[in-house]
């Protein structure tokens, strides 16, 4: 199917000559001698592009352009005129014209302008499709009262440019909420840059945020752009903000207030325009009272507070989420979709889900991979999801086989770490908190254990 071009001009010779030349180039041609006819044709025929003369009787080209953009904003319009001025071109561009061509017309210039406009429209349509796909991927699934209330908060908060503080348990979907807000916001076409404050060592966090120049410190062998600068015009997502060191918090307050900063090792000031969304699983009021979190940073971020409900507060969504995850995992692993028996689903709905949605997703992925059956029964669920399931016996013989206490202690520690890791779905931070060790120690231990 050939692209359709609507030529709008009050000169019959232009309509005939330009229409004939473009028709020879393979375009489908529509013509209108004034703005009124053009608007009617756009409504009925929906052309792919409009070539619009400025000076016409009745409503002129500028007024017609305004009407086109109001009714059909995705149709590109190229202005053609024999009385072109810079002021007219600027005015038409502000209203939404894609390009501006002066008479006498060069057919080569017209064809180039048409192809550029059609390519631009194609890119816009692809962006809208990708944005819709991204939004679907980031959407909060479920219809429980808690999720309905959350979706309403997101819908109200997204169009504004106010900063947001998202709270909720680990695995509840705080990052998904942040991405949804960004996608729905006017900044949705610009970058969404996330930084996990808990996963980056304190000594590296400032460099990650602000960037650095070559030679700023011993390991700075090249120049690096910081996350704040990368997020310019878009959204900066500060995940687990409560894990940020107080000294870095103090610097961040000033940077976020002024939207200006300097890279490490540089004297040049960089200005940015970012929307900040922060998230935490901790009680920041308690963190403030105990001196671990700055109150001024809290008030700066907490313009719009959003709390993501835990999975146990939205148990009625578990069947919906389970069906979605099983279908996703089957597609990813190229297998037939599994289903849960009523008894298995009842057990999942009764479970407390300390790991929330992430834990449910990981469990179902594990079952999809490990089970070679179409229906997941209650007996297929391991502990603690199935309290009646026999717990696998600890390898007692192995634990007591070493000849000295040091070896026995090492064996037990490794078995214990494996068990707690499994309970926490291999989440290093949660496991370290559960067994009371530093996450750096746990990582080193796991590396030694080849996990």
């Amino acid at each position: 199917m050939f692209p359709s071009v609507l030529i709008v001009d009050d000169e019959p010779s232009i309509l005939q000559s330009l229409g004939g030349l473009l028709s020879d180039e393979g375009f489908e041609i529509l013509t209108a001698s004034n703005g009124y006819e053009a608007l009617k044709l756009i409504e009925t025929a929906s052309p792919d592009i409009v070539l619009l003369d400025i000076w016409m009787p009745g409503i002129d080209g500028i007024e017609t352009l305004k009407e086109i953009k109001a009714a059909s904003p995705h149709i590109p319009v190229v202005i053609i005129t024999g009385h072109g001025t810079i002021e007219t071109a600027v005015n038409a561009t502000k209203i939404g014209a894609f390009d501006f061509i002066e008479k006498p017309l060069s057919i080569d210039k017209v064809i180039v302008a048409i192809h550029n406009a059609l390519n631009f429209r194609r890119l816009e349509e692809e962006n809208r499709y990708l944005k819709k796909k991204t939004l679907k991927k980031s959407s909060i699934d479920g219809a429980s009262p808690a999720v309905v209330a959350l979706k309403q908060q997101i819908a109200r908060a997204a169009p504004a440019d106010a900063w947001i503080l998202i709270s909720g348990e680990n695995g509840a979907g705080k990052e998904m909420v942040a991405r949804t807000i960004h996608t729905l916001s006017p900044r949705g076409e610009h970058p969404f840059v996330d930084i996990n404050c808990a996963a980056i060592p304190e000594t590296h966090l400032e460099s990650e945020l602000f960037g650095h120049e070559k030679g700023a410190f011993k390991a700075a062998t090249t120049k690096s752009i910081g996350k704040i600068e990368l997020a310019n015009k878009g959204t900066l997502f500060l995940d687990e903000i409560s894990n940020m060191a107080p000294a870095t918090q103090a610097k961040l307050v000033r940077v976020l207030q002024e939207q200006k900063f300097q890279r490490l090792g540089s004297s040049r000031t960089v200005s940015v325009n970012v929307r900040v969304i922060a998230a935490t699983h901790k009680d920041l009021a308690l963190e403030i009272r105990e001196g671990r979190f700055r109150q001024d940073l809290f008030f700066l971020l907490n313009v719009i507070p959003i709390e993501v409900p835990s999975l146990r507060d939205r148990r009625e969504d578990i069947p919906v989420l389970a069906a979605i995850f099983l279908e996703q995992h089957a597609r990813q692993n190229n297998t037939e979709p599994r289903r849960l028996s009523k008894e298995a689903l009842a057990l999942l709905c009764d479970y407390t889900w300390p790991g929330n949605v992430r834990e449910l997703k990981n469990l179902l992925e594990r079952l999809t991979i490990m089970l070679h059956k179409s229906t997941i029964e209650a007996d297929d669920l391991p502990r603690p999801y199935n309290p009646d399931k026999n717990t696998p016996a600890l390898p007692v013989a192995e634990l007591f086989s070493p000849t000295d206490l040091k070896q026995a202690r090492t064996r037990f520690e490794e078995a214990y770490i494996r068990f707690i890791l499994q309970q926490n779905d291999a989440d290093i931070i949660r496991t370290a908190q559960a067994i009371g060790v530093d996450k750096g120690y746990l990582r080193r231990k796991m590396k030694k254990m080849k996990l």
Side-chain angles (χ1 to χ4, degrees):
M1 185 176 179
F2 299 109
S4 57
V5 180
L6 170 59
I7 307 171
V8 188
D9 200 302
D10 62 333
E11 296 183 42
S13 60
I14 294 289
L15 295 179
Q16 185 175 359
S17 60
L18 184 57
L21 289 169
L22 292 178
S23 180
D24 291 341
E25 293 292 328
F27 295 101
E28 181 184 335
I29 303 301
L30 302 168
T31 60
S33 58
N34 57 61
Y36 295 112
E37 290 181 13
L39 294 173
K40 288 181 181 177
L41 275 171
I42 288 171
E43 186 178 348
T44 57
S46 188
D48 295 306
I49 185 172
V50 177
L51 303 181
L52 177 63
D53 187 27
I54 285 284
W55 302 104
M56 296 184 298
I59 58 172
D60 64 12
I62 293 295
E63 290 301 317
T64 304
L65 175 61
K66 290 178 181 177
E67 293 292 331
I68 292 172
K69 286 298 166 184
S72 305
H74 302 309
I75 297 179
V77 179
V78 175
I79 295 294
I80 54 176
T81 182
H83 309 278
T85 65
I86 293 177
E87 184 181 356
T88 305
V90 170
N91 189 25
T93 304
K94 284 182 177 179
I95 296 169
F98 177 80
D99 206 348
F100 190 94
I101 304 176
E102 290 184 278
K103 294 179 182 178
L105 299 173
S106 161
I107 187 61
D108 291 334
K109 287 184 178 179
V110 172
I111 290 173
V112 168
I114 289 174
H115 283 302
N116 287 342
L118 290 175
N119 286 335
F120 182 77
R121 179 177 179 175
R122 192 175 301 114
L123 285 173
E124 278 194 323
E125 289 173 349
E126 287 176 3
N127 284 338
R128 285 195 297 274
Y129 168 76
L130 290 173
K131 186 174 181 179
K132 185 177 179 182
K133 189 176 180 180
T134 301
L135 184 60
K136 185 177 181 181
K137 186 178 179 181
S138 302
S139 63
I140 312 299
D141 294 303
S144 63
V147 167
V148 170
L150 177 62
K151 290 178 179 179
Q152 290 172 345
Q153 283 184 294
I154 291 171
R156 287 193 292 267
D161 212 33
W163 294 2
I164 296 171
L165 181 60
I166 304 172
S167 59
E169 297 179 5
N170 285 327
K174 297 188 291 296
E175 182 178 349
M176 186 175 289
V177 169
R179 288 185 180 276
T180 304
I181 291 171
H182 169 75
T183 304
L184 291 173
S185 75
R187 296 176 180 265
E189 303 296 333
H190 298 285
F192 176 91
V193 179
D194 65 303
I195 181 166
N196 189 331
C197 302
I200 300 173
E202 181 183 339
T203 53
H204 296 167
L205 187 55
E206 282 190 43
S207 175
E208 285 285 330
L209 283 168
F210 310 127
H212 61 257
E213 298 291 339
K214 182 179 179 180
F217 47 89
K218 188 175 181 180
T221 55
T222 59
K223 176 181 175 180
S224 176
I225 304 299
K227 294 294 182 74
I228 295 177
E229 193 171 348
L230 291 173
N232 189 33
K233 297 183 180 179
T235 301
L236 177 68
F237 177 53
L238 299 171
D239 198 9
E240 295 303 341
I241 184 73
S242 57
N243 288 72
M244 185 179 289
T248 309
Q249 291 179 33
K251 293 182 180 180
L252 187 64
V253 167
R254 184 173 180 180
V255 169
L256 295 183
Q257 284 177 328
E258 298 179 359
Q259 300 264 307
K260 295 178 183 178
F261 64 95
Q262 294 175 345
R263 297 191 197 109
L264 301 185
S266 173
S267 59
R268 186 172 73 87
T269 299
V270 179
S271 297
V272 292
N273 174 11
V274 298
R275 182 187 196 180
V276 179
I277 301 177
T280 180
H281 75 282
K282 294 183 180 179
D283 180 354
L284 288 189
L286 177 62
E287 296 295 304
I288 291 170
R289 286 197 301 272
E290 297 188 356
R292 292 190 293 266
F293 198 79
R294 293 179 63 96
Q295 190 174 49
D296 51 357
L297 180 56
F298 172 76
F299 288 130
L300 192 62
L301 298 171
N302 195 42
V303 179
I304 300 179
I306 293 179
E307 184 170 357
V308 182
S310 65
L311 188 55
R312 62 183 168 277
D313 291 330
R314 44 180 294 215
R315 294 177 190 271
E316 50 266 70
D317 292 329
I318 290 176
V320 175
L321 294 170
I324 292 171
F325 293 150
L326 287 171
E327 184 179 349
Q328 287 177 355
H329 298 325
R331 189 165 58 249
Q332 291 166 3
N333 293 285
N334 197 28
T335 60
E336 288 296 318
R338 309 288 197 266
R339 57 178 292 272
L340 288 162
S341 69
K342 290 182 179 179
E343 295 76 16
L345 189 57
L347 287 172
L348 296 184
C349 291
D350 287 339
Y351 183 60
T352 54
W353 297 107
N356 290 291
V357 179
R358 185 191 298 135
E359 184 182 0
L360 173 63
K361 184 176 182 180
N362 290 346
L363 170 67
L364 294 176
E365 181 174 17
R366 186 196 322 164
L367 294 172
T368 299
I369 294 171
M370 300 305 293
L371 294 179
H372 299 283
K373 54 195 300 189
S374 59
T375 301
I376 300 171
E377 303 290 350
D379 194 53
D380 297 318
L381 300 179
R383 289 180 64 91
Y385 310 101
N386 183 355
D388 296 329
K389 185 78 171 181
N390 291 328
T391 306
L394 287 173
V396 177
E398 290 185 23
L399 290 178
F400 285 93
S401 62
T403 56
D404 59 60
L405 181 61
K406 184 178 179 181
Q407 285 185 353
R409 185 185 294 116
T410 300
R411 289 277 184 93
F412 176 79
E413 185 180 16
E414 290 181 354
Y416 180 66
I417 287 174
R418 290 177 190 274
F419 178 75
I420 301 300
L421 271 169
Q422 184 179 7
Q423 294 294 98
N424 288 279
D425 292 304
D427 187 300
I428 293 175
I429 294 174
R430 284 188 4 234
T431 302
Q433 291 172 343
I435 63 180
V437 300
D438 180 77
K439 58 181 180 292
Y441 171 84
L442 180 59
R443 285 195 180 96
R444 291 191 296 272
K445 194 71 181 176
M446 290 173 63
K447 185 176 180 181
K448 189 175 180 181
M449 294 165 60
K450 297 181 180 181
L451 293 178

